[in-house]
Amino acid sequence: MIRLRKAPNFSIFRAVPGDIGIFYQRIAPMTGFIPMPELDAIDRKILSHLQADSRLTMQELADKVGLSVSPCHRRVKLLEERGVISRYVATVDQKALGLHVSVFISIKLARQKEEDLNRFARAISKWDEVLECYLMTGNRDYLLRVVAADLASYETFLKTKLTRLDGIASIESSFALSQVKYSIALPV
C-alpha cells in the first residue's frame, strides 16, 4: 500500500516580502495614456478602410470588417484614444488649386546648435507653402517640400521668406518633374 504525503500548506496568493532580492523601479502612471496592445486583424482592416475613405459611416465600416456597429465603434474610439488615429482630413488635389510646382529644398544651417535648429523649425512652421519638413542626417540639415503656383511664386517665397532667415549656410532646390507615387495611407 502506498501512503500519500500531505500537501504542503501554501498559496500562490500569499504576500511576498518586498526585500527578497528583486529590485524594481516604480513608474508613475501616465495620465491620459492608454496602453496599445498589438493591432489585431480587425483593427488593421478598420485602419485600412478608414485610410482609404474616412467618410464611411460606422455601419458601412462595420460591414466591411465583419463586425456589428457597436463593437466597430468601440474599436474606432479606442484607436482614436490611443493616438493610432490622430485626425480625419480631406485630401485636396494640389494641381486643382493651381499649385503646379513641387520643390524639394535641402537646407544647410551655418550652425547645428539646438537654438538654431529650434529657430529654423519655428519659422518654417508658420509658412503655408511648406507642406513637409524633416530634420536630416548627412550633409544637409533639413529637407523641405514646398508647393507653389509657378516659378515666379517660388522665387517670391525664396526671396521674401527663406533667404531672410538667419543662420542658413546654403539652399539647394530640386524641382519635381512629375509625381510617380503619392500616398498618405500607411501600410497596416
Side-chain angles (χ1 to χ4, degrees):
M1 171 180 236
I2 299 176
R3 294 183 91 188
L4 297 176
R5 284 191 294 165
K6 187 176 176 184
N9 186 13
F10 69 88
S11 168
I12 61 170
F13 300 106
R14 65 188 164 96
V16 176
D19 58 350
I20 60 170
I22 299 172
F23 299 100
Y24 63 94
Q25 178 182 7
R26 240 176 238 254
I27 298 173
M30 295 172 60
T31 57
F33 176 75
I34 301 171
M36 184 68 206
E38 286 242 357
L39 297 175
D40 65 11
I42 293 173
D43 289 333
R44 292 179 187 284
K45 281 183 187 177
I46 288 171
L47 292 172
S48 179
H49 287 295
L50 285 177
Q51 285 187 111
D53 183 4
S54 64
R55 295 183 66 184
L56 288 172
T57 66
M58 202 53 67
Q59 180 66 59
E60 292 169 331
L61 182 59
D63 291 343
K64 289 179 181 283
V65 300
L67 291 175
S68 61
V69 175
S70 291
C72 185
H73 185 260
R74 222 176 359 261
R75 282 177 178 256
V76 170
K77 285 295 172 202
L78 274 173
L79 290 167
E80 290 170 350
E81 289 169 8
R82 292 175 176 153
V84 177
I85 297 174
S86 58
R87 63 186 172 149
Y88 298 90
V89 296
T91 305
V92 180
D93 185 279
Q94 177 182 333
K95 291 193 182 345
L97 291 180
L99 300 169
H100 299 283
V101 177
S102 285
V103 187
F104 294 88
I105 306 170
S106 295
I107 305 286
K108 182 162 184 60
L109 298 181
R111 300 179 324 162
Q112 288 75 29
K113 292 191 174 185
E114 186 176 3
E115 62 266 14
D116 297 319
L117 297 172
N118 291 338
R119 183 177 54 244
F120 180 82
R122 277 192 308 275
I124 61 100
S125 295
K126 298 174 187 171
W127 300 337
D128 293 335
E129 300 92 342
V130 178
L131 297 185
E132 298 175 71
C133 176
Y134 301 95
L135 180 60
M136 305 294 288
T137 62
N139 57 0
R140 297 292 173 180
D141 297 310
Y142 286 97
L143 179 65
L144 281 61
R145 180 172 159 242
V146 172
V147 293
D150 50 31
L151 290 177
S153 300
Y154 174 67
E155 182 180 7
T156 301
F157 166 79
L158 196 62
K159 288 180 177 178
T160 62
K161 292 183 178 176
L162 197 55
T163 57
R164 291 189 181 186
L165 282 181
D166 288 333
I168 295 181
S170 68
I171 300 171
E172 243 181 60
S173 302
S174 298
F175 292 86
L177 298 176
S178 66
Q179 189 175 71
V180 177
K181 180 184 178 182
Y182 174 77
S183 176
I184 58 168
L186 296 172
V188 289

